[in-house]
Amino acid sequence: MTECRRRVETVCVYCGSGGAENPAFAEAARALRHALASADTRLIYGGGDLGLMGIAARSVLKHGGHVTGIMPGFLHGRERMLVDVHELVVVDSMHERKHLMFERSDAFVALPGGIGTLEEFVEQLTWSQLGRHRKPIVLVNIHGFWDPLLELFDKMIGHNFIRSGFELKMSVADSAHDVLPVIHRVLAELEAEPKAEAQVIEKF
């Protein structure tokens, strides 16, 4: 199992290659990247120059932050690579891309997006659910965009598809400004867990 780090050095952000025409989504992408750059936290993302992906990456660069883009070569024609990033990693497959993004990131954040954003975010939830990592996972629910997904999760719990012991280890933030505070809170809680367990054992 991959443990989480005490300090967040890198954050992987999943978001759409569209959505830029929505002012609320675009502002959230800029705000999150500004927060990352201000905290000296490096951005790991899908490497694209379109939509919220491009807005996010360019905003981090504008504020002096570090950006790593990871993109399969076959997507170059569809999403257009952002060549201005500090590090652009071109891989052969989506599997390799997702593995690298996982390995290099201390936390995962999902802004509004499409099927790809949803798939990558849910995969991290699944890995966490199965105990493969303990890294913070944050869903940024701008203007209720992810409400249907949250309702679906509740329905899964109600039908016992998400059982006790396999709870979804994720947090929800209503704005991009809340993301880093939420991540730090989760890390503090995770760090406190072994101490609390040790205190219980000591009593017995």
Side-chain angles (χ1 to χ4, degrees), residues 19-28 30 52 55 142-143:
E21 68 280 358
N22 187 310
F25 297 165
E27 178 54 33
R30 294 188 189 97
L52 298 186
I55 292 174
I142 305 298
H143 286 198

Side-chain angles (χ1 to χ4, degrees), residues 13-200:
V13 176
Y14 305 123
C15 57
S17 57
E21 68 280 358
N22 187 310
F25 297 165
E27 178 54 33
R30 294 188 189 97
L32 177 57
R33 281 24 180 229
H34 176 68
L36 294 178
S38 299
D40 196 26
T41 301
R42 301 193 301 276
L43 168 67
I44 308 291
Y45 88 118
D49 190 21
L50 302 175
L52 298 186
M53 294 176 70
I55 292 174
R58 289 190 179 281
S59 184
V60 172
L61 293 171
K62 180 180 178 180
H63 289 92
H66 188 282
V67 178
T68 295
I70 303 175
M71 178 182 284
F74 73 87
L75 277 182
H76 177 44
R78 291 187 178 185
E79 297 188 355
R80 201 171 66 214
M81 296 179 185
L82 178 57
V83 297
D84 297 333
V85 299
H86 297 86
E87 181 185 16
L88 181 59
V89 183
V90 180
V91 296
D92 293 328
S93 68
M94 291 295 291
H95 294 292
E96 187 177 359
R97 174 205 223 177
K98 291 190 289 184
H99 179 72
L100 275 179
M101 293 173 86
F102 170 75
E103 288 293 331
R104 292 191 177 205
S105 303
D106 299 329
F108 306 96
V109 174
L111 288 170
I115 294 296
T117 299
L118 179 61
E119 186 267 339
E120 291 178 315
F121 175 77
V122 170
E123 183 171 61
Q124 292 306 331
L125 275 182
T126 303
W127 291 357
S128 173
Q129 189 184 43
L130 297 175
R132 305 319 300 163
H133 75 86
R134 301 176 72 212
K135 301 177 182 181
I137 304 171
V138 182
L139 189 68
V140 190
N141 194 24
I142 305 298
H143 286 198
F145 178 84
W146 293 114
D147 282 352
L149 178 64
L150 296 172
E151 292 172 7
L152 179 59
F153 287 158
D154 286 340
K155 183 173 289 189
M156 290 175 178
I157 293 171
H159 286 283
N160 204 34
F161 288 117
I162 299 177
R163 306 185 304 278
S164 176
F166 290 91
E167 292 84 3
L168 299 180
K169 298 176 176 65
M170 57 171 281
S171 302
V172 179
D174 293 326
S175 76
H177 299 287
D178 296 331
V179 169
L180 284 181
V182 167
I183 289 175
H184 292 143
R185 187 197 72 219
V186 172
L187 289 177
E189 292 172 354
L190 289 171
E191 186 177 355
E193 284 180 4
K195 296 178 182 178
E197 184 177 349
Q199 290 173 354
V200 171

